[in-house]
Amino acid sequence: MNVTFKPTWYRNFHRIAWLAVALALCVIVFGAFVRLSNAGLSCPDWPTCYGRAAWPTVAHEISDHDATAIRPVEVHKAWREQFHRMIAGLLGVLTLTLALLAARKRRYGVAQVIVAAALVAVSIPLYMKGQHVAASVLAATGEAVLLLAALRWNNSDLSRVAALTLAVIVFQALLGMWTVTWLLKPIVVMGHLIGGLLTFSLLLWMAWRATDLPIRLADAVTVRRLLILGIVLLGVQIALGGWTSANYAALACGNDFPTCVGQWMPKHDFREAFVLWRGIGVDYEGGILDGEARIAIQLAHRAMAMVVFVYLLGLAIKLLRTPGMLGWGVLLALLTLAQVGLGIANVKLSLPLTIAVLHNAGAALLLFVLVSLLARMRAPEH
């Protein structure tokens, strides 16, 4: 007879995990608001904002700070960027707590997590003092400790995924720093978006596993494979969406849809559109690409959107026809249709802030459905 091992979680582990999931979603949506309201460079220093732990409320308060030479203060925008950093920091604390709880029964598990966190924490004041090489070495060492721990451990107690999630969120902090210091470099902005959604997905997977509410299906293996492919396709589309936003190409086709500047295939430049690295020191706010390159990015985003739309609708139909999965199938279909509708509305209405932010939230909700099903799907017990 097969005996299934069921780990004993810390009694509030799943509650902390779900709180982290909710906060991660807030960070993603608010981060989209910051980016789309052109507030991404409103605090040119990091992790402070014009030298303040919070943010300046009156421009003359920080008139003598070095950061004003980089960018004049805009009080109405600065709070958005710094508040985003604060809630992201709170998410980091929750993730650290989960990693400590998951590793508490591993040999030297808590010590490894604490050492990694301490190395990263010490690197921050070093960076602020201008000792960038030393700060980078400490942060990289902390990341290495977490990744090595994740490789050695398994997921019987969620210690592997918890350590990996903490490593991802540390790298997210670095991407957030580079977003500011490298002046909205598109590859960094796109990576920051992907990293946020990856953090959200890992936390969500961990929360469902700790909650332990499996969905038993006879063809669970097949459905899991379809879900994994759906997540991959959606991930590619999210990356393209991030690249579109980071290069200010959302309205490259004007307000035309499904055509682009009045044509089905206007003149475009894919070679220039997808150059990932252009050096450091260029201010990318507003974008630097010409119209043909931006059109190429928009065309790629639309083409991939069609692929994802067809696939996710097909997956939704598969779920609708599966006993016990009606609700999930309906939810996936509705979210897919809503996401496409929001994308079209962005173009037709010239990228209104509310709809653009909702479009980012829609991507996160689609991930929520796919990752939730992947985490819960199991074959029947024998």
Side-chain angles (χ1 to χ4, degrees), residues 65 85 124 127 143 167 169 207 215 234-235 248-249 314 348 353 371:
H65 193 271
R85 294 176 184 178
I124 295 174
Y127 174 84
E143 284 281 77
I169 209 166
I215 297 174
L234 181 59
Y248 298 84
K348 301 297 288 185
L353 180 59
V371 174

Side-chain angles (χ1 to χ4, degrees), residues 180-191:
V180 174
T181 57
W182 291 355
L183 304 176
L184 301 181
K185 192 172 185 60
I187 188 65
V188 177
V189 174
M190 181 185 72

Side-chain angles (χ1 to χ4, degrees), residues 24-293:
L25 182 60
C26 292
V27 171
I28 290 167
V29 174
F30 195 81
F33 168 70
V34 172
R35 183 178 72 256
L36 293 165
S37 62
N38 296 316
L41 290 180
S42 56
C43 292
D45 50 332
W46 185 93
T48 56
C49 184
Y50 291 96
R52 291 172 173 263
W55 53 82
T57 56
V58 182
H60 68 75
E61 291 178 344
I62 44 81
S63 58
D64 59 342
H65 193 271
D66 292 343
T68 56
I70 303 173
R71 186 170 293 269
V73 63
E74 295 179 273
V75 175
H76 66 289
K77 290 184 178 180
W79 74 268
R80 305 174 190 179
E81 172 63 14
Q82 196 65 357
F83 181 73
H84 179 242
R85 294 176 184 178
M86 289 177 175
I87 58 176
L90 179 58
L91 179 61
V93 172
L94 288 177
T95 307
L96 172 61
T97 302
L98 289 170
L100 289 170
L101 291 174
R104 74 191 194 284
K105 293 185 178 179
R106 296 281 174 174
R107 188 181 184 188
Y108 306 123
V110 171
Q112 291 176 74
V113 174
I114 289 176
V115 167
L119 288 170
V120 173
V122 172
S123 72
I124 295 174
L126 289 178
Y127 174 84
M128 295 173 66
K129 292 177 182 179
Q131 300 179 34
H132 296 167
V133 174
S136 299
V137 169
L138 286 177
T141 304
E143 284 281 77
V145 171
L146 290 172
L147 292 174
L148 287 172
L151 287 173
R152 287 198 309 272
W153 300 337
N154 57 43
N155 266 331
S156 62
D157 52 4
L158 298 178
S159 56
R160 170 177 287 176
V161 69
L164 181 60
T165 306
L166 183 58
V168 169
I169 209 166
V170 168
F171 192 65
Q172 267 294 89
L174 295 175
L175 287 171
M177 175 188 71
W178 293 329
T179 295
V180 174
T181 57
W182 291 355
L183 304 176
L184 301 181
K185 192 172 185 60
I187 188 65
V188 177
V189 174
M190 181 185 72
H192 197 44
L193 171 65
I194 295 172
L197 288 166
L198 176 59
T199 301
F200 173 70
S201 299
L202 290 170
L203 288 168
L204 179 61
W205 191 91
M206 191 164 25
W208 276 123
R209 286 290 178 146
T211 305
D212 193 26
L213 291 173
I215 297 174
R216 303 284 181 183
L217 290 181
D219 58 345
V221 174
T222 300
V223 175
R224 284 177 63 87
R225 288 172 180 169
L226 293 174
L227 290 168
I228 291 171
L229 180 55
I231 291 171
V232 170
L233 292 175
L234 181 59
V236 172
Q237 177 63 358
I238 288 170
L240 281 172
W243 190 250
T244 301
S245 178
N247 284 283
Y248 298 84
L251 296 177
C253 293
N255 299 117
D256 290 348
F257 185 89
T259 57
C260 180
V261 292
Q263 304 174 52
W264 286 105
M265 188 55 66
K267 194 172 181 181
H268 52 270
D269 186 356
F270 279 97
R271 181 187 297 274
E272 188 67 18
F274 291 96
V275 176
L276 299 181
W277 187 263
R278 297 178 185 272
I280 300 174
V282 178
D283 189 341
Y284 291 92
E285 188 170 23
I288 64 170
L289 298 180
D290 61 20
E292 292 181 5

Side-chain angles (χ1 to χ4, degrees), residues 22 73 149 207 365 382:
V73 63
L365 292 177
H382 298 291

